[in-house]
Amino acid sequence: MSNAGHGPRGGTERVTADERWAAGRALRKSVPRASHGEFTPAARRPDPVAQLEAQATDRLPDLLPVRYGRMAMSPFAFLRGSATVMSTDLASTPATGLSVQLCGDAHLANFGVFASPERTLVFDVNDFDETLPGPWEWDVKRLAASFVVAGRVASLTAAQCRRIAVAATRMYRQRITAYAGMRHLDVWYDHIGVSEVLSALTAVKQRRGVRRIAAKARGKDHLRAYRKLTTAIDGQVRIADDPPIVDHVDVPDDVLHQSRAQLLRSLPHDRRHLLARYDFVDAARKVVGVGSVGTRCYIVLLIGRDDDDPLFLQVKQAQHSVLEPHLRRSKYANQGQRVVAGQQLMQSASDMFLGWTRATDGDFYWRQLWDMKGSVTLEGASTEDTELYATVCGAALARAHARSGDPIAIAGYLGNSGVFEDAVADFATAYADQNQRDYAALLDAIRVGAVPASHAV
């Protein structure tokens, strides 16, 4: 469904906003909103551990124990690392056919605070390894399910978990409806700043918590990374080894040298000019996250005017999206470019050095390692704080979807009632049960030695 249409010069009649709204509303007949509450595991549902092992064939063998060890820490850690499992499950759920640029892994830990190029702190989706165009419902359902799974880990009651899932989905609906009434440019310029979050809070405790997150993010810059991650070797500054998390094992030469020319070509002219002023000094492998463990990830140290002018870039391997077996293949031959294009389409402000390359061992995307990045930890958070965070995540996801999809048609489908959010809360609860069973299957596989796991990192 087009979200723009064409004027007379385009040769076709323009589809009006009212017609797009009506078309979205009409989809309720073929895909009732209440149907989104359904989740029944497929009769021939693939074994979850087998799916993870299939994904592991393209990953570094020495890091697989770290990956499984991190996933075994909790049901929520398992959810984070098993996007490939949930993508298979989501592919069989009801969908309206309205497409957006999906995050593809929209769980609650993949949202956070970071600095815009203008040096203001914004809150947004911040992980795009699985991004691909697809059904908007998939992101919403994964987000809601993540809050139920995390809530259970935090010993919240079933009623509290449901309330939080409803809050996230309700805010998504409300914000999509708001974007449906906005001009395209206003949607594009909209963002969620930390100042806006603070102004929306009424509780002093909540405002203090957000300020702490913002202060921590502002202190997480390149100078701090330089102090924390480097050492002097024979008078030369180098990245300090801290195996198995940081080491110089098997770092291809083209990460440090040949890839530089490719990266520069992928950047806008002004960023290319700026980055060319820095010298590439050292590179090391760095293990990051949960779902990314085992892929090839590096950090690169660059020096500008002198040692007081450092720049750290992160280089992450981009494999095919886990959504691809269930959707159309990406139009980008380079998977790094797929990630970059999806991120720039969904985010209100993207990293100024976001670019892509192809090396001997795969496709990669580049970004700054630490640039005022901050994440929210829900450990010990109250139900009210968690519910607030859920609403902010729902708002950020709606804004991201509105940039690439048709918010008018989606809003027409969602309407003004709570039918959809109640249904998604039902789905999230059912899927949290499934996730618990899958998590138990992983623990069993680790216990019998079918998969290796390291609990030291």
Side-chain angles (χ1 to χ4, degrees):
M1 179 180 295
S2 169
N3 69 342
H6 299 281
R9 293 184 181 180
T12 59
E13 185 177 349
R14 187 175 185 85
V15 180
T16 67
D18 288 344
E19 290 170 333
R20 286 154 59 193
W21 183 285
R25 181 182 176 86
L27 289 171
R28 299 179 195 174
K29 295 180 180 179
S30 55
V31 187
R33 290 169 295 175
S35 69
H36 292 288
E38 302 168 2
F39 176 71
T40 302
R44 296 184 178 181
R45 183 176 186 263
D47 177 75
V49 177
Q51 289 187 75
L52 295 173
E53 283 286 84
Q55 190 181 40
T57 58
D58 293 330
R59 302 199 175 199
L60 297 170
D62 63 308
L63 294 181
L64 293 181
V66 178
R67 181 194 188 200
Y68 289 126
R70 291 186 176 184
M71 291 181 67
M73 293 177 67
S74 73
F76 179 63
F78 178 86
L79 182 79
R80 290 184 61 181
S82 60
T84 186
V85 175
M86 191 170 185
S87 67
T88 301
D89 292 326
L90 287 169
S92 63
T93 60
T96 57
L98 299 174
S99 182
V100 300
Q101 186 71 32
L102 291 173
C103 163
D105 192 15
H107 61 72
L108 65 90
N110 277 344
F111 292 73
V113 173
F114 55 89
S116 73
E118 294 76 29
R119 318 316 295 152
T120 58
L121 288 179
V122 296
F123 181 90
D124 213 332
V125 188
N126 62 8
D127 189 293
F128 300 88
D129 287 359
E130 312 301 344
T131 188
L132 206 66
W136 59 275
E137 297 96 333
W138 292 8
D139 272 353
V140 177
K141 290 177 179 178
R142 183 155 172 81
L143 177 62
S146 74
F147 276 105
V148 175
V149 173
R152 291 180 178 182
V153 172
S155 300
L156 299 184
T157 67
Q160 289 170 327
C161 291
R162 181 181 180 85
R163 192 176 89 193
I164 293 166
V166 166
T169 312
R170 180 189 299 119
M171 181 55 71
Y172 178 90
R173 174 178 60 82
Q174 292 173 344
R175 291 309 302 160
I176 278 288
T177 300
Y179 290 124
M182 293 169 60
R183 300 180 181 91
H184 291 323
L185 281 177
D186 292 335
V187 173
W188 200 262
Y189 290 139
D190 191 48
H191 65 278
I192 302 175
V194 170
S195 58
E196 285 83 357
V197 176
L198 285 170
S199 65
L201 300 179
T202 57
V204 173
K205 181 181 178 181
Q206 290 175 331
R207 290 199 297 270
R208 288 174 179 169
V210 173
R211 288 194 178 101
R212 281 195 299 270
I213 294 168
K216 185 176 180 180
R218 290 190 178 96
K220 197 172 183 180
D221 58 13
H222 294 288
L223 290 176
R224 182 184 172 195
Y226 186 68
R227 292 190 296 268
K228 183 177 177 63
L229 300 175
T230 64
T231 188
I233 300 177
D234 297 328
Q236 301 294 318
V237 176
R238 292 293 183 266
I239 297 171
D241 282 335
D242 182 20
I245 305 304
V246 180
D247 59 43
H248 286 78
V249 174
D250 299 329
V251 179
D253 183 69
D254 57 5
V255 170
L256 190 58
H257 298 294
Q258 289 96 317
S259 292
R260 181 180 186 181
Q262 293 184 49
L263 174 62
L264 290 172
R265 286 196 297 270
S266 73
L267 297 175
H269 179 77
D270 59 333
R271 315 296 169 82
R272 191 184 312 165
H273 178 80
L274 173 59
L275 189 59
R277 294 187 168 202
Y278 285 84
D279 295 321
F280 282 49
V281 173
D282 194 19
R285 189 177 72 174
K286 189 176 191 301
V287 179
V288 295
V290 178
S292 296
V293 177
T295 59
R296 293 157 178 83
C297 300
Y298 309 102
I299 53 175
V300 177
L301 171 63
L302 302 90
I303 298 296
R305 187 192 64 174
D306 51 35
D307 287 352
D308 291 329
D309 187 16
L311 173 64
F312 266 99
L313 297 182
Q314 182 184 57
V315 191
K316 290 191 68 178
Q317 184 180 14
Q319 299 179 317
H320 287 272
S321 169
V322 298
L323 304 180
E324 211 169 68
H326 316 293
L327 300 170
R328 292 182 180 179
R329 290 178 64 89
S330 172
K331 66 180 180 181
Y332 299 104
N334 186 305
Q335 297 304 309
Q337 186 177 9
R338 171 186 62 79
V339 172
V340 170
Q343 181 168 345
Q344 291 173 333
L345 183 56
M346 294 187 73
Q347 281 188 326
S348 59
S350 296
D351 192 299
M352 64 187 298
F353 292 123
L354 190 63
W356 69 90
T357 62
R358 172 165 289 163
T360 54
D361 54 353
D363 296 341
F364 293 84
Y365 66 95
W366 296 60
R367 62 185 180 185
Q368 294 178 81
L369 176 64
W370 287 356
D371 187 38
M372 300 189 189
K373 293 182 175 69
S375 58
V376 175
T377 174
L378 297 180
E379 185 176 351
S382 67
T383 306
E384 292 73 20
D385 288 345
T386 305
E387 185 175 350
L388 169 69
Y389 180 67
T391 63
V392 179
C393 289
L397 186 61
R399 189 208 51 74
H401 285 178
R403 285 168 64 103
S404 62
D406 187 347
I408 298 176
I410 296 174
Y413 176 78
L414 291 174
N416 298 317
S417 74
V419 174
F420 179 73
E421 51 250 42
D422 284 337
V424 169
D426 289 342
F427 169 87
T429 301
Y431 199 82
D433 293 340
Q434 181 63 59
N435 183 77
Q436 185 69 42
R437 293 190 290 270
D438 293 345
Y439 173 64
L442 175 65
L443 295 186
D444 286 343
I446 293 172
R447 179 178 52 80
V448 301
V451 296
S454 169
H455 298 281
V457 291

